[in-house]
Amino acid sequence: MSTPEHIILTSHPPGESGKASPINWGASDPAERGPIIGTVTDTATRNTIGTHSGSYSVYLAASVAAGRLNPDFKPDLHNTSPIVAIGPYPQWSEPGKIVSIDPFGHMITEYFSEQLAAGINIRPTIAVTQARLSMLELREAITHGRLKADGKILMENGDVHVTKIAVDPVWHLPGMAKRLGCDTSTLRHALFTYTGGMYPELVTRHDLEVFLPPIGGVSAYIFGDPTTLADKSVPLACRVHDECNGSDVFGSDICTCRPYLTHGIEICVEMAQQGGNGLVVYNRKEGRALGEVTKFLVYNARKRQEEGDNAAKYFERTECVAGVQDARFQELMPDIFHWLGIQRLDRFASMSDMKHDALFGQGIEIGERIDLPEELIPEDAQVEMEAKKAAGYFTQSDVKDAEALKNVKGRELL
């Protein structure tokens, strides 16, 4: 039996008609665009699918169930505004440039103060602060003479000043579908099905076009002056890094993740000391977005092969366990660059053609691509490097679109 078009199916109680603020995605005026509202305590004002703090929403639910969190709690956002101003930039309202984050997510106390005063539970999806990083590898770089302390960016003890940005994902489903090359209905049904039907509104509320997914977001670390990132005359070094808890945090030597992360940071510090800027973008995509359990299962499968761990079957073993070699599609990754107003990367510390092509495809110029120095590759990670090179992860000698990259506005990029 078909459902009349005027009846909206939803597992949520109906809200007060007309109370929810519409979201006009891509509008340059935040008042016209409207706030992102993912509250579950006032369903009449909700205008998204999912909830704020999506990746932690289950923990919050458990806290409410245990009586430790008041379900009606609203945060006091006094003095939480960004330490430095970010934007607005033209990319914020250019069609299709930003589809996976809320450009206005860091300034809701400024842009939506009237709604907050009226008691509407709007929450930031971006936070900007400043801190110091203290890393052994930076101290070693000073000891070996690769870096020199300047007392401004890099201290004698190896500490480095940074601006830190945390971003929760906010997906505009029509824009995201276009970026991925599929139709919106296919994307909505896939999200509904493969989250076990967790969000019925994906298939019952087509009037809601924004989704707050239950996944980790992005962290950005800026070395230098954040306000000049959009200035193409200020050189910019960059590392785009996908999460690897075992290596990044615990120093596991089976992969090159932490060595490449710290090498990228060193390049960023060096560029900032030379009057430019450095940027590290850290994405929560553990185990090529397959998860750490899958990663460890693959480790076992690789090590137990009769012929031993080898590059020829490196990706095959992953596909046998996970069904796919790599789930880290990079199409959404450039959004953080558009949000920061970035148009060009002068030094890009990455061996990944997927990352390069995603950025280049979004109109971001890329100059020098930097591979990982041989001496930084752990012995047990040689198989990984051989497999990635064989698979074409890194093609510095034959960079795609090389001719298009030459002499952009009179500058030689390669």
Side-chain angles (χ1 to χ4, degrees):
M1 180 177 178
S2 61
T3 303
E5 290 184 358
H6 68 278
I7 296 178
I8 297 176
L9 294 176
T10 176
S11 61
H12 297 269
E16 182 181 329
S17 177
K19 188 175 179 182
S21 172
I23 298 173
N24 299 304
W25 195 269
S28 58
D29 181 358
E32 180 185 351
R33 204 296 302 273
I36 303 294
I37 307 173
T39 177
V40 295
T41 57
D42 185 1
T43 57
T45 63
R46 280 174 57 81
N47 59 10
T48 67
I49 304 166
T51 69
H52 292 301
S53 301
S55 61
Y56 293 97
S57 58
V58 175
Y59 288 109
L60 294 175
S63 295
V64 170
R68 299 171 185 172
L69 174 64
N70 181 348
D72 295 320
F73 170 79
K74 293 180 181 178
D76 178 359
L77 298 174
H78 180 65
N79 282 338
T80 63
S81 59
I83 295 295
V84 295
I86 303 292
Y89 294 110
Q91 293 95 319
W92 290 17
S93 56
E94 289 182 22
K97 285 293 186 182
I98 298 179
V99 300
S100 66
I101 62 179
D102 174 13
F104 304 112
H106 59 313
M107 292 294 286
I108 68 162
T109 56
E110 176 183 334
Y111 295 143
F112 306 118
S113 57
E114 292 184 7
Q115 293 93 325
L116 288 169
I120 298 177
N121 194 354
I122 312 170
R123 303 197 179 188
T125 56
I126 301 175
V128 184
T129 190
Q130 291 179 333
R132 287 189 183 186
L133 296 185
S134 181
M135 303 182 70
L136 173 63
E137 288 85 352
L138 292 179
R139 292 197 292 271
E140 290 179 344
I142 294 175
T143 300
H144 294 293
R146 298 195 306 272
L147 291 176
K148 292 183 178 180
D150 55 47
K152 181 180 178 181
I153 294 171
L154 183 62
M155 305 296 106
E156 291 288 347
N157 65 354
D159 288 359
V160 58
H161 287 282
V162 295
T163 298
K164 301 195 302 183
I165 303 172
V167 182
D168 279 342
V170 178
W171 289 1
H172 180 242
L173 295 173
M176 181 176 173
K178 187 174 181 179
R179 183 83 62 85
L180 296 178
C182 64
D183 60 75
T184 306
S185 179
T186 298
L187 175 62
R188 296 177 76 111
H189 278 81
L191 290 169
F192 172 74
T193 300
Y194 291 96
T195 57
M198 186 183 294
Y199 301 98
E201 292 162 308
L202 284 165
V203 294
T204 64
R205 293 289 305 275
H206 287 267
D207 57 312
L208 300 179
E209 295 186 336
V210 174
F211 179 37
L212 305 179
I215 60 173
V218 180
S219 297
Y221 290 78
I222 300 169
F223 306 78
D225 183 358
T227 65
T228 61
L229 287 175
D231 187 344
K232 290 174 65 175
S233 69
V234 179
L236 177 61
C238 177
R239 166 68 183 164
V240 175
H241 192 88
D242 292 336
E243 178 184 25
C244 177
N245 182 65
S247 179
D248 297 343
V249 178
F250 294 100
S252 172
D253 67 349
I254 197 172
C255 65
T256 59
C257 294
R258 183 176 174 93
Y260 220 145
L261 175 61
T262 57
H263 179 59
I265 290 174
E266 185 175 326
I267 291 169
C268 287
V269 171
E270 183 181 45
M271 182 67 85
Q273 289 182 316
Q274 294 173 357
N277 291 311
L279 171 67
V280 172
V281 174
Y282 193 92
N283 299 294
R284 298 314 191 284
K285 297 178 182 178
E286 177 64 60
R288 301 198 202 108
L290 299 170
E292 199 166 37
V293 169
T294 295
K295 181 198 290 189
F296 287 7
L297 294 175
V298 171
Y299 286 166
N300 288 346
R302 285 171 47 194
K303 297 292 186 178
R304 288 170 175 166
Q305 295 177 120
E306 183 176 345
E307 65 274 28
D309 195 11
N310 64 86
K313 293 190 175 181
Y314 177 87
F315 287 109
E316 179 185 324
R317 296 311 299 146
T318 302
E319 193 166 4
C320 286
V321 175
V324 64
Q325 292 182 3
D326 194 329
R328 295 173 303 169
F329 61 89
Q330 299 289 354
E331 283 85 349
L332 304 181
M333 177 266 291
D335 282 18
I336 185 68
F337 291 85
H338 292 319
W339 180 71
L340 290 167
I342 293 170
Q343 305 172 69
R344 171 182 167 80
L345 305 178
D346 291 86
R347 305 193 76 198
F348 186 42
S350 176
M351 297 179 69
S352 170
D353 281 355
M354 289 175 63
K355 294 174 183 176
H356 166 273
D357 293 352
L359 290 165
F360 186 84
Q362 281 290 305
I364 296 173
E365 301 167 13
I366 298 177
E368 179 188 7
R369 294 176 65 183
I370 304 170
D371 59 347
L372 183 64
E374 193 72 29
E375 63 270 18
L376 296 182
I377 301 173
E379 182 178 353
D380 205 27
Q382 291 292 341
V383 170
E384 174 201 29
M385 295 299 289
E386 292 172 9
K388 287 184 175 181
K389 289 178 180 178
Y393 263 56
F394 187 49
T395 53
Q396 175 144 331
S397 61
D398 185 25
V399 177
K400 296 177 182 179
D401 304 310
E403 290 302 317
L405 279 170
K406 289 181 179 179
N407 298 317
V408 175
K409 294 186 177 180
R411 294 182 66 178
E412 183 71 30
L413 304 185
L414 291 176

